[in-house]
C-alpha cells in the first residue's frame, strides 16, 4: 500500500517544491538551490526504490507492473499512473541528468535569470509525469507542463540568440502540440478510450472502416512525438536551439529528446505490436527510414559543425536516430540493446554539454555563434566572477581533467570500446541479425545491412569530428592561462562519466535488466492485464482528485 | 450542421497553416491561435456531433449514449483551451522580447525592418 503511494511522489514532490520556491524572494538563491538539490535527490531515491521494486519481480510476472489509480476510479474510466521497469528506468535517468545540470548551474549559471530552480523542478515534474502516466490525455497535460518549463529554461540567461532560438522552439512545439491533440482526438473517435492499455486491447477488435481513422490518428500523434525526438525532416529546430541555450539547461534537455523516444517505445509495440491484427507493425518502415535518415543527417552535421555546442547538438540527433531505427526493427533483443544505448548516450551527451562549457570558458560569454578556431581557446578575456575561488586555479591539471573527460565523451558518443557506448551499439548489432532472420525466415535483408552500415559509419563520423575538435582544442601550445574551473562544476561531469564507466563494468547485470525491460515492452499482455484489472483501494485516500 | 462544422474547421486550419508559414512573428502568432481554435473544434466534434443531448446523467433517463452526448471530449477541450491560451500568451511575450532585441519583426530577426 505504501509503495502504491510512492508512485505519485515523483510528480508531487517537484510540484510542491516548485510551488514553494515561486513564493520565495529571488535573492534567497542559496536556499532555493539547496531545496532544489534536496528535492531532486529525494526524487532520485524514490525512482531507485521504484526501480528496485519493479525489478524484484521475476520477468513476465504481472507484479513487475504496479498501477496507481488516481481518485480510486477503475482503470479505463479514471486516470492511472503505471510504474514498470521502463518507467522506473526513465525516472531514474531523468533524476540523474537533472541533478547533474542543477549542480553545475549552482556554481555560476543559476544567477543568470530568475526562477531558474522553480522551472527546473517543474521540468522534473513534467518529465516524471510523462514517464508515469498510463493515459493519453494526461500524457498531453504532462507534455505541456514539461514544455512550459522548458520554454522558460530556453530563455534563461536571455540575450538575442536565446530569445530568437526560443521563438522558433516555442512555435515548433506549439504546432506539434496541435498535432498531438488532433492525433489524440482521432484515436478517441476511433476507439472510444484514452487509456493506453484499453486502447491496445481494443485495436485488434476494430472494424476495417474505423481502422483507417485509427491509423491516421496514430500517424499524426507519432509526428508530434517525432518532432520532440528530432527525427530527420522534423529536426531542424534542434541544433539551433540546443547550441545556444545555457549549458546546464542543454545538459538537462538531453533527456527531452528521449521523451519522444520513450513514448514511441511505450505506445508503438503495445498498440501496434504483433497482436494488433491488421494494424500489426503499422508504420515500422517509416520509423526505420526516418531513423536511418536522422543518423545520416546527424553524421553530416557532425562533420560540418564549426563550434563545440553545435557538435554536441548533432550528437543528440545521432542518438535519437540510432534509437528510432533500433526500435523500428521491432524485436526485443534489439530494443534491449537500444535501451542500454539510450542510458549511456543520454549520460554522455549531458556530460558533453557541461564539459564544452568548461572548455570554452576562456572565450567571451555569449560568443556561442563564433566558430572555434585553433587559437581562440588561449584567449583569456573572460571576466569570471568566481575567479577568487581557490579550487581549480589555472594549472594544467584542469586541462588534463577536461581532456580526459573529452576523450571519454568522444569514446562514448562514437561507440568505441572500452566504454558503455560500445556495449550498447554492440548489443544492438548482435541482436539485429537473428531478429530479422527470425522475422522473415530469410537471411539478413538489405535493410539490415543498411542499418548496420549506417550505425558503423555514424560511429566513424563521430570519431573523426570529435578527434578533429579535440586536437584543435587540446593539442595547442599553452600560450596563456588555462580556464578557471570550480570544483562544483567538475563534479557533475566526472559523476556522469563515472556512471557510464559503472555501466561498462556492470554491463552484465545492466544488460539483463534492459533485456527484461525490452521483453516486457514487446509482450505487453502483463501491462494490459495489470492496468485493466487493477484493484481499487478499500477506502478512497487519493492525494489529488482526478482532473 | 456537420458540413458547416467541417468547413469552419477546414477554413481555420488552412488559414492558420498559411499564417504559420509567413515571415512576420505576429502572423505566426495569429496562425498558431487560429490553428488552436481549429483543433479545439476538432476535438469537440470527435465526440460525435449531437444537439439537445446533455453530457450529465439525469434521473429517469436511461444511461445510454443514445440519450446523452459524450462528456469526455468536452472535458478534454476545456483543458486544451486553457493550455493553448497560456502558451500563446507566453509566445506573445517572447515575440515582443525578440522584437525589442532584434529591432525587427522577422522570424529570423534579419529581414528588412518595417
Amino acid at each position: 500500500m505504501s509503495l502504491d503511494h510512492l508512485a505519485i511522489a515523483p510528480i508531487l514532490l517537484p510540484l510542491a517544491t516548485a510551488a514553494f520556491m515561486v513564493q520565495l524572494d529571488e535573492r534567497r538563491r542559496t536556499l532555493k538551490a539547496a531545496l532544489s538539490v534536496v528535492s531532486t535527490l529525494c526524487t532520485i531515491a524514490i525512482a531507485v526504490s521504484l526501480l528496485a521494486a519493479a525489478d524484484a519481480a521475476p520477468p513476465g510476472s504481472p507484479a513487475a507492473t504496479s498501477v496507481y489509480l488516481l481518485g480510486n476510479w477503475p482503470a479505463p474510466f479514471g486516470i492511472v499512473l503505471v510504474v514498470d521497469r521502463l518507467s522506473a528506468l526513465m525516472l531514474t535517468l531523468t533524476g540523474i541528468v537533472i541533478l547533474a545540470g542543477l549542480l553545475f548551474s549552482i556554481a555560476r549559471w543559476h544567477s543568470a535569470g530568475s526562477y531558474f530552480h522553480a522551472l527546473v523542478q517543474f521540468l522534473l515534474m513534467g518529465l516524471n509525469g510523462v514517464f508515469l502516466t498510463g493515459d493519453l490525455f494526461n500524457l498531453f497535460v504532462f507534455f505541456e507542463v514539461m514544455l512550459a518549463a522548458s520554454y522558460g529554461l530556453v530563455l534563461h540567461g536571455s540575450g538575442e540568440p536565446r530569445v530568437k532560438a526560443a521563438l522558433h522552439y516555442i512555435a515548433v512545439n506549439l504546432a506539434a502540440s496541435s498535432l498531438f491533440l488532433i492525433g489524440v482526438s482521432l484515436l478517441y473517435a476511433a476507439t472510444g478510450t484514452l487509456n493506453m492499455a484499453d486502447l491496445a486491447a481494443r485495436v485488434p477488435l476494430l472494424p476495417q472502416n474505423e481502422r483507417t481513422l485509427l491509423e491516421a490518428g496514430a500517424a499524426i500523434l507519432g509526428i508530434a512525438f517525432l518532432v520532440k525526438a528530432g527525427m530527420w525532416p522534423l529536426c531542424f529546430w534542434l541544433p539551433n536551439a540546443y547550441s545556444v541555450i545555457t549549458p546546464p539547461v542543454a545538459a538537462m534537455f538531453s533527456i527531452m529528446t528521449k521523451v519522444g523516444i520513450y513514448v514511441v517505445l511505450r505506445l508503438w509495440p503495445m498498440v501496434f505490436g504483433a497482436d494488433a491484427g491488421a494494424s500489426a507493425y503499422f508504420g515500422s518502415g517509416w520509423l526505420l527510414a526516418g531513423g536511418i535518415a536522422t543518423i545520416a543527417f546527424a553524421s553530416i552535421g557532425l562533420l560540418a559543425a564549426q563550434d563545440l555546442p553545435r557538435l554536441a547538438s548533432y550528437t543528440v540527433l545521432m542518438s535519437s536516430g540510432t534509437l528510432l531505427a533500433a526500435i523500428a526493427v521491432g524485436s526485443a533483443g534489439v530494443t534491449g540493446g537500444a535501451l542500454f544505448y539510450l542510458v549511456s548516450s543520454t549520460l554522455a551527451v549531458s556530460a558533453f554539454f557541461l564539459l564544452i562549457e568548461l572548455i570554452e570558458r576562456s572565450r567571451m560569454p555569449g560568443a556561442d555563434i563564433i566558430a572555434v578556431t585553433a587559437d581562440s581557446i588561449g584567449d583569456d578575456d573572460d571576466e569570471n566572477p568566481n575567479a577568487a575561488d581557490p579550487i581549480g586555479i589555472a594549472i594544467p591539471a584542469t586541462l588534463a581533467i577536461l581532456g580526459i573527460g573529452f576523450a571519454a565523451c568522444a569514446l562514448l558518443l562514437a561507440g568505441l570500446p572500452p566504454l558503455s557506448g560500445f556495449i550498447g551499439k554492440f548489443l544492438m548489432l548482435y541482436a539485429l541479425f537473428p531478429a530479422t532472420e527470425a522475422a522473415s525466415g530469410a537471411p539478413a535483408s538489405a535493410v539490415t545491412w543498411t542499418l548496420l552500415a549506417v550505425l558503423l559509419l555514424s560511429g566513424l563520423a563521430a570519431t573523426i569530428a570529435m578527434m578533429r575538435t579535440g586536437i584543435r582544442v587540446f593539442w595547442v601550445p599553452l600560450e596563456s592561462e588555462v580556464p578557471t574551473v570550480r570544483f562544483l562544476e567538475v563534479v557533475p561531469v566526472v559523476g556522469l562519466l563515472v556512471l557510464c564507466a559503472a555501466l561498462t563494468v556492470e554491463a552484465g547485470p545492466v544488460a539483463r535488466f534492459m533485456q527484461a525491460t525490452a521483453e516486457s515492452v514487446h509482450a505487453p499482455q502483463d501491462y494490459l492485464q495489470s492496468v485493466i484489472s487493477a484493484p481499487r483501494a478499500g477506502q478512497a485516500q487519493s492525494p489529488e482528485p482526478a482532473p | 450542421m456537420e458540413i458547416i462544422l467541417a468547413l469552419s474547421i477546414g477554413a481555420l486550419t488552412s488559414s492558420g497553416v498559411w499564417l504559420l508559414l509567413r515571415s512576420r512573428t505576429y502572423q505566426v502568432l495569429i496562425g498558431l491561435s487560429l490553428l488552436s481554435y481549429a483543433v479545439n473544434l476538432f476535438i469537440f466534434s470527435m465526440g460525435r456531433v449531437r444537439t439537445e443531448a446533455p453530457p450529465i446523467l439525469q434521473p429517469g433517463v436511461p444511461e445510454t449514449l443514445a440519450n446523452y452526448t459524450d462528456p469526455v471530449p468536452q472535458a478534454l477541450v476545456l483543458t486544451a483551451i486553457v493550455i493553448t491560451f497560456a502558451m500563446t500568451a507566453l509566445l506573445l511575450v517572447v515575440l515582443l522580447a525578440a522584437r525589442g532585441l532584434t529591432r525587427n519583426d522577422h522570424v529570423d530577426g534579419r529581414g528588412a525592418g518595417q
Side-chain angles (χ1 to χ4, degrees), chain A residues 137 140-141 144 148 151 155 158-160 163-164 166-168 170-171 174-175 178 181-182 185-186 188-189 194 210, chain B residues 20 25 28 32 35 39 42-43 46 48 70 72-73 76 79-80 83 87 90-91 94-95 97-98 101-102 107-109:
Chain A
F137 201 79
F140 169 74
V141 173
E144 290 301 317
Y151 300 153
L155 286 164
S158 196
E160 192 183 319
V163 171
K164 262 161 52 177
L167 190 64
H168 297 180
I170 298 175
L174 281 182
S178 300
L181 283 173
I182 293 174
S185 47
L186 276 173
Y188 181 77
L194 289 169
E210 296 279 308
Chain B
L20 186 61
T25 47
V28 172
L32 282 168
L35 209 54
V39 169
F42 184 77
I43 300 174
M46 280 300 111
R48 307 294 186 269
D70 192 346
V72 176
L76 300 187
T79 318
I83 290 177
M87 294 302 159
L90 179 73
L91 181 62
V94 178
L95 184 156
L101 283 167
T102 62
V107 285
D108 289 329

Side-chain angles (χ1 to χ4, degrees), chain B residues 8-14 33-43:
Chain B
S8 52
I9 293 175
L12 281 172
T13 311
S14 46
S33 304
L34 290 182
L35 209 54
S36 75
Y37 298 151
V39 169
N40 291 339
L41 280 175
F42 184 77
I43 300 174

Side-chain angles (χ1 to χ4, degrees), chain A residues 401-485:
Chain A
I401 292 174
L402 295 185
I404 292 169
F406 187 87
C409 283
L411 289 179
L412 283 165
L413 293 170
L416 293 176
L419 288 177
S420 53
F422 169 72
I423 300 175
K425 269 197 178 175
F426 180 76
L427 285 174
M428 277 190 277
L429 294 179
Y430 179 72
L432 192 58
F433 283 87
T436 46
E437 279 169 30
S440 58
S445 64
V447 175
T448 315
W449 285 107
T450 315
L451 185 56
L452 176 82
V454 166
L455 278 180
L456 294 179
L457 283 177
S458 73
L460 178 68
T463 317
I464 293 173
M466 300 285 270
M467 271 174 64
R468 193 178 57 192
T469 317
I471 289 170
R472 269 199 316 221
V473 172
F474 291 105
W475 288 5
V476 288
L478 273 178
E479 287 162 354
S480 57
E481 288 170 48
V482 206
T484 315
V485 170

Side-chain angles (χ1 to χ4, degrees), chain A residues 385-396:
Chain A
N386 305 313
D389 199 286
I391 304 161
I393 287 187
I395 44 167

Side-chain angles (χ1 to χ4, degrees), chain A residues 24-25 49 56 83 94 97 102 116 162 175 214 241 253 301-302 394-395 411 441 525 532:
Chain A
L24 286 179
D25 190 87
S49 63
V83 186
T94 307
V97 168
L102 200 56
F116 177 77
R162 288 192 193 113
L214 171 91
F253 277 21
L302 272 178
I395 44 167
L411 289 179
Q525 289 80 12
I532 301 288

